[in-house]
Amino acid sequence: MGGNSMNFDDDRVGQSPQQMLSPPSDDGTRRGVQSTPTGQTAPVPPSPGTDPNSAPEQLSRPPGPPGTVPLSPLPNGTSHDENAAAEQALNDRSPQTPAAGAPAREAVEAVGQDAVLQWAFVNYGEQIGTKYVYEQTLDSHAPISSEYLAVVREVYAEPRRDDRHAPTTFAEAVEALRAAGAVLVINRPPNSSRTFTAYALLAHLLDDEVITEVRPLPFGGSKHFPTKRLPHDQQCGFLLELPPDEDDFAVDESFGGTLNKLVVRLQRRNCRLIVLTRPEQWRRLSHGAPDSLAPELGAVSPHDIAERWLCGLEPGFPVARWLAHNDIKPLLTGQPPTDVLNLVHLMLQQHRASQSSATDATAPGRAVGPRRGRPAPLTFEQQVANVAAAQQNWEDALYGWHEPAERSRTSFERNFLLTAAVLRGAPVGHVYAQAAELTEQLGDTNVQIEGQREPGVIAMTRAIEAEREVDGTLNFTRPNWDDAVIEYFWNDRPLARAAFLKWLAKAPVGDSSTSKEALEVISKEGRLALAKRVGQFALRWAVRHRRQTPLEQIVEEWYQSGAAKELWPLAVELLDSAATHAASAPYVHSMLLTWSNRNPPHLQRAVVEVCTGTFGRRHTAKALRRLRNVAAKGHPEVLDALRDAVRVLWEDATVRQMLFGYVIDWCRSEELSQTVGHRTFTALALNSPPEAAGLPPLLQAWADVSPDAEDAFRPTPQGLVIGWRCLLHQAAGATGERDLDKAVFTWLDAALQQQALKPLVFDTLRHAVNVHGSAGPPLREALRTSAQWWVQGPDRSYSAEKAELKVELSALLDQDLTTRRSQPPAQQESSIPPEEPSAIAGSGAP
């Protein structure tokens, strides 16, 4: 549907089944998969639970017939059945058997369907394939699925030179990567399929047994990429994507020189590496890199892309006939890969629908003549006409519907069409009621739908040329018609956009009274499915048009409905998924950065919770900078979420030093110490949950004694003292309930159980309370009280070992107090330890 179209999917952005290819059932379908034509109405799926993640699987067997409305007349004297038979005879002459060793058609279908989702976001060329592959790429060190790589190898169209007999630039790149230790930099601008190209290169090496597996290589959260981050795998192909430069973060210029060291390590392990970057970034980083690492791979013909995908998706598809058609060739000219792939699926959809309709028409026992409302099989020319119209958003056909020559459409008719397009799969009674509410929201006439004054459901269904299914839902028969309806409204009624977005955000929140009167109250599962479609619409428009308003409207409305209810987690999940999906990530990352500097609590809360999710684990350095901005606002409503985010980000060893520095700055701040500082330091000083076994993060960092550990970082004693001093100021609350008491218990337990940590624990606590003036006694009293409750208190039995440790600590506190009183007044300032206190310096700390 061109560059302005959208797709609506029941699953969240980029979602694919947990098991990409499930075994076929007896009827030929895949278990757990709903077979729904691409771009067609899907009924609201029954949910196995209330979890928003319990959406149906999306990657299914080839779509069934959409029953497309014919747009072209049949030649005189030719019946539908005769035409279909002629089409089938032509198709039968196409090759039917896939090449030996080719991946299963279902596997190609799965990868292709998910790539279309990325197209809907204006993909920027990052065709990653199925979601579970993309998650592996950024969220773990697991190898990329060999099945997925086989699909990539099968459908990838290589860039070609004018001389078709000469080796392609792609083939030359494959040969260059055969040498042990080879490094290749794919230095490409947006929308050039650089990731897909990298996977294709590695897939060839895997197929030729040059490498045994393909693994993603996370860059990490720092500006440097140390060579020790390279795994110890043998005969492996690695893919490293450089994080884009942003705000105050940029990959260090020493990266080019680092590649020389990486080559040596790669050679030693018989491995290869592909680096993904962009032209402006590579110009800055290429100094010192080995020569000829970034060859020009050239452009790929859209015709070749379509041909490879069509052959892989449908071995019997009449490729040459379709691609040579005069109405199809202009749709391919100059198009990026993702737009080509969308066109491929439109062609397949029409072809398969026509074949299925022809099969139904000749099935034994079928009644003579088509069922009312079900069109006969389409001719080839009609299929092409539908594809061309869908690729152009059906604008001419929609104009003809909106502005008929014989009469004017009522606003209720227009709004019913728009509502049905947005609320796909909802019961028709709910669509009817919501259309009335939208009419009122847009300031049109007050629609009276309770009686019989207005046209009814049947009349409205026929007016918008939809089909009413047996389950009470509406189905548009033209491919991608519903998406085009919304596109048409958005372009045709710019002054109604704000009111439409307001209605859109509220549509899933609750059932209208008119829906209840219709006895078609949409279920909770149905509302979740509806909310997903609404959220995806807002996301796609925000990404496509670079406007935050649609998403802001959704976030605000769903936040007001209650953060503990199901719609708010769904909004966070939507943003989190979009922030980690290649097509939408660049814009969503920028949007989250903007939101982190704004005051509305719903925006602040959304940023923090997204940083706590998958986005925070994959793009930790980015998440950290956004949390820093949120923390500076100090909103009480986001403190608990901020604490959780700090725990998540600490898991990335490469950002611990930066994260710890931020937390200590917040503890030091007069405005933030007892809110943001207290909560975030506690998150690292305590286990999560508090009763969990093992050491809290800050002590665990000291217990990991190997100085050669990758990205090793030990919190500085100075920082620990500042954080503990902030914690000790928490004087309110019952003893045993405060975070302070829990932290003291945890740290003294660690000192008792691990003698190596005892000097660190004692020195930190001693310096934290060694303060001159009136502030000192309350801090010492708070620590002594908590320590006494640790020895014996509620749910804590007495032991002689704990009592002895507490006595030892008390003696040290008394000694510090005596020493301080004997010092001259000029030296009686707050005690901050040196970088390495004497008690710790001898413990082997690096």
Side-chain angles (χ1 to χ4, degrees):
M1 295 189 300
N4 293 326
S5 179
M6 300 164 295
N7 282 336
F8 285 74
D9 305 285
D10 290 331
D11 292 334
R12 64 177 177 172
V13 181
Q15 181 68 52
S16 68
Q18 296 299 314
Q19 181 180 354
M20 183 176 74
L21 298 175
S22 56
S25 60
D26 294 338
D27 61 358
T29 60
R30 309 212 75 80
R31 294 189 180 95
V33 180
Q34 295 183 350
S35 179
T36 303
T38 304
Q40 298 302 303
T41 302
V44 175
S47 175
T50 59
D51 186 350
N53 288 325
S54 57
E57 292 188 51
Q58 147 197 350
L59 304 180
S60 64
R61 60 194 290 266
T68 308
V69 176
L71 294 183
S72 305
L74 289 170
N76 292 334
T78 304
S79 70
H80 284 286
D81 288 345
E82 290 171 345
N83 205 294
E87 293 292 332
Q88 186 62 45
L90 180 62
N91 293 338
D92 288 342
R93 293 196 294 270
S94 301
Q96 299 293 325
T97 305
R105 174 174 139 183
E106 291 87 350
V108 184
E109 188 86 29
V111 176
Q113 287 282 0
D114 194 78
V116 169
L117 290 181
Q118 298 189 37
W119 167 87
F121 288 108
V122 184
N123 177 284
Y124 295 100
E126 303 299 318
Q127 292 185 15
I128 303 289
T130 53
K131 178 175 180 286
Y132 86 105
V133 173
Y134 185 67
E135 285 185 339
Q136 286 179 330
T137 303
L138 293 180
D139 201 30
S140 73
H141 297 275
I144 301 300
S145 162
S146 59
E147 184 179 39
Y148 170 77
L149 293 171
V151 173
V152 173
R153 186 174 183 274
E154 178 72 13
V155 301
Y156 181 76
E158 299 179 11
R160 294 188 180 275
R161 290 191 170 104
D162 293 337
D163 182 2
R164 289 196 166 237
H165 298 289
T168 65
T169 54
F170 180 88
E172 292 173 346
V174 171
E175 290 303 313
L177 282 169
R178 291 184 183 276
V183 175
L184 179 72
V185 175
I186 299 183
N187 167 33
R188 285 194 159 193
N191 211 12
S192 58
S193 298
R194 60 176 189 167
T195 307
F196 206 67
T197 297
Y199 279 134
L201 290 166
L202 294 169
H204 276 270
L205 298 181
L206 184 67
D207 188 67
D208 294 341
E209 298 182 350
V210 175
I211 57 177
T212 58
E213 63 181 10
V214 175
R215 287 180 175 269
L217 191 58
F219 185 85
S222 68
K223 298 180 180 182
H224 301 272
F225 185 81
T227 55
K228 60 186 176 183
R229 283 189 66 85
L230 191 67
H232 294 278
D233 301 79
Q234 298 286 331
Q235 204 174 348
C236 187
F238 296 110
L239 179 61
L240 172 65
E241 181 178 0
L242 301 187
D245 299 340
E246 175 194 271
D247 194 21
D248 58 348
F249 176 86
V251 177
D252 193 84
E253 293 184 358
S254 63
F255 178 78
T258 301
L259 289 176
N260 293 284
K261 301 177 183 178
L262 286 175
V263 167
V264 175
R265 293 207 174 198
L266 290 165
Q267 285 177 333
R268 193 180 307 153
R269 297 164 189 168
N270 193 19
C271 293
R272 286 86 182 155
L273 170 67
I274 296 180
V275 179
L276 302 181
T277 182
R278 298 188 178 196
E280 64 278 5
Q281 188 179 50
W282 182 242
R283 282 193 295 269
R284 186 175 62 81
L285 302 179
S286 59
H287 304 293
D291 295 333
S292 305
L293 285 189
E296 177 54 54
L297 296 177
V300 184
S301 164
H303 179 281
D304 290 350
I305 295 175
E307 182 178 50
R308 293 298 296 266
W309 274 100
L310 286 168
C311 291
L313 287 165
E314 190 85 11
F317 188 86
V319 177
R321 187 182 186 193
W322 272 90
L323 298 186
H325 196 283
N326 289 333
D327 290 344
I328 297 297
K329 288 192 291 186
L331 301 179
L332 288 169
T333 303
Q335 296 302 308
T338 42
D339 283 354
V340 173
L341 192 54
N342 180 73
L343 183 64
V344 162
H345 280 272
L346 282 173
M347 291 188 286
L348 280 173
Q349 181 200 56
Q350 290 295 286
H351 172 73
R352 291 168 175 172
S354 180
Q355 283 190 318
S356 181
S357 297
T359 301
D360 291 343
T362 58
R366 181 185 181 277
V368 178
R371 182 168 69 87
R372 184 184 65 80
R374 294 290 186 182
L378 302 182
T379 68
F380 175 71
E381 291 298 327
Q382 290 170 330
Q383 296 172 42
V384 171
N386 274 357
V387 169
Q391 191 75 354
Q392 297 167 6
N393 290 317
W394 294 100
E395 185 169 306
D396 291 341
L398 281 168
Y399 173 77
W401 185 91
H402 281 83
E403 308 295 340
E406 65 277 8
R407 68 179 182 88
S408 298
R409 292 286 182 189
T410 66
S411 61
F412 187 46
E413 286 178 322
R414 295 170 185 259
N415 292 328
F416 189 83
L417 174 64
L418 181 59
T419 304
V422 173
L423 308 185
R424 293 191 318 169
V428 67
H430 185 73
V431 174
Y432 190 68
Q434 284 291 328
E437 292 189 11
L438 176 59
T439 302
E440 296 178 8
Q441 184 73 48
L442 295 178
D444 294 332
T445 308
N446 184 18
V447 180
Q448 300 295 328
I449 59 174
E450 290 79 7
Q452 295 200 55
R453 191 188 78 176
E454 306 293 348
V457 166
I458 296 176
M460 297 303 298
T461 300
R462 295 192 180 186
I464 65 172
E465 303 174 22
E467 290 185 355
R468 196 172 74 258
E469 303 294 341
V470 293
D471 62 355
T473 61
L474 296 180
N475 177 38
F476 292 111
T477 57
R478 295 174 179 177
N480 295 348
W481 177 263
D482 42 7
D483 295 351
V485 166
I486 304 171
E487 177 80 18
Y488 187 93
F489 166 80
W490 193 267
N491 293 329
D492 192 49
R493 304 288 174 172
L495 299 183
R497 292 173 182 171
F500 170 71
L501 290 176
K502 186 176 181 181
W503 167 82
L504 187 76
K506 290 184 176 180
V509 172
D511 300 314
S512 65
S513 58
T514 47
S515 294
K516 295 177 182 178
E517 292 171 5
L519 303 181
E520 289 189 1
V521 177
I522 191 169
S523 66
K524 181 177 180 180
E525 291 78 13
R527 285 197 299 110
L528 287 176
L530 170 60
K532 289 176 183 178
R533 289 192 294 274
V534 167
Q536 288 166 7
F537 166 80
L539 175 62
R540 288 183 171 105
W541 270 108
V543 172
R544 186 175 303 283
H545 296 285
R546 298 296 188 264
R547 295 290 185 271
Q548 300 175 14
T549 306
L551 281 176
E552 288 181 7
Q553 193 80 47
I554 293 290
V555 169
E556 181 178 12
E557 185 65 41
W558 294 4
Y559 183 77
Q560 291 175 353
S561 69
K565 297 183 179 180
E566 66 271 8
L567 290 186
W568 176 253
L570 194 62
V572 174
E573 179 187 356
L574 175 77
L575 293 170
D576 189 27
S577 181
T580 52
H581 196 283
S584 52
Y587 178 74
V588 174
H589 291 183
S590 175
M591 183 187 71
L592 292 173
L593 184 62
T594 300
W595 285 6
S596 70
N597 285 301
R598 295 178 57 187
N599 286 318
H602 59 274
L603 298 182
Q604 296 266 302
R605 178 73 175 264
V607 171
V608 174
E609 294 200 26
V610 170
C611 290
T612 310
T614 308
F615 168 73
R617 292 190 296 273
R618 295 180 183 172
H619 302 283
T620 312
K622 286 188 173 186
L624 188 55
R625 290 189 292 278
R626 284 148 184 77
L627 290 179
R628 176 194 60 191
N629 297 340
V630 170
K633 304 293 182 182
H635 271 297
E637 297 179 51
V638 304
L639 291 181
D640 287 339
L642 188 62
R643 177 193 58 201
D644 295 337
V646 166
R647 287 197 185 104
V648 168
L649 299 187
W650 185 265
E651 296 175 6
D652 186 342
T654 66
V655 299
R656 288 179 183 174
Q657 183 172 358
M658 186 186 304
L659 174 60
F660 184 71
Y662 285 164
V663 169
I664 298 309
D665 285 344
W666 300 333
C667 289
R668 188 185 286 115
S669 168
E670 188 173 330
E671 295 80 12
L672 300 176
S673 62
Q674 290 306 300
T675 54
V676 176
H678 167 78
R679 296 289 182 90
T680 54
F681 184 78
T682 302
L684 300 179
L686 284 173
N687 287 322
S688 179
E691 62 273 11
L695 296 173
L698 293 177
L699 287 178
Q700 187 63 52
W702 272 88
D704 295 335
V705 296
S706 174
D708 295 328
E710 181 180 320
D711 303 310
F713 167 71
R714 286 183 171 179
T716 63
Q718 292 175 324
L720 292 176
V721 167
I722 294 172
W724 265 100
R725 199 166 282 168
C726 172
L727 194 56
L728 285 162
H729 276 291
Q730 186 193 31
T735 302
E737 297 296 329
R738 299 175 297 179
D739 290 336
L740 168 62
D741 298 306
K742 298 173 185 177
V744 170
F745 296 170
T746 301
W747 282 53
L748 291 181
D749 282 339
L752 182 64
Q753 296 163 9
Q754 298 193 30
Q755 286 295 313
L757 291 175
K758 180 179 173 182
L760 170 68
V761 173
F762 275 20
D763 274 20
T764 299
L765 296 178
R766 290 170 60 191
H767 283 286
V769 300
N770 197 8
V771 179
H772 175 66
S774 59
L779 295 180
R780 283 189 291 272
E781 185 62 26
L783 177 58
R784 290 179 189 272
T785 302
S786 294
Q788 183 57 45
W789 279 105
W790 172 72
V791 173
Q792 185 176 18
D795 300 323
R796 299 186 67 84
S797 58
Y798 173 86
S799 75
E801 292 81 1
K802 290 195 293 185
E804 291 176 3
L805 192 71
K806 190 262 181 180
V807 169
E808 184 178 353
L809 175 62
S810 295
L812 292 173
L813 296 179
D814 292 339
Q815 176 183 329
D816 294 337
L817 182 60
T818 302
T819 302
R820 172 171 289 278
R821 288 181 176 177
S822 65
Q823 291 176 339
Q827 299 181 18
Q828 294 183 11
E829 300 296 335
S830 295
S831 174
I832 298 291
E835 188 67 20
E836 296 289 350
S838 57
I840 301 174
S843 65

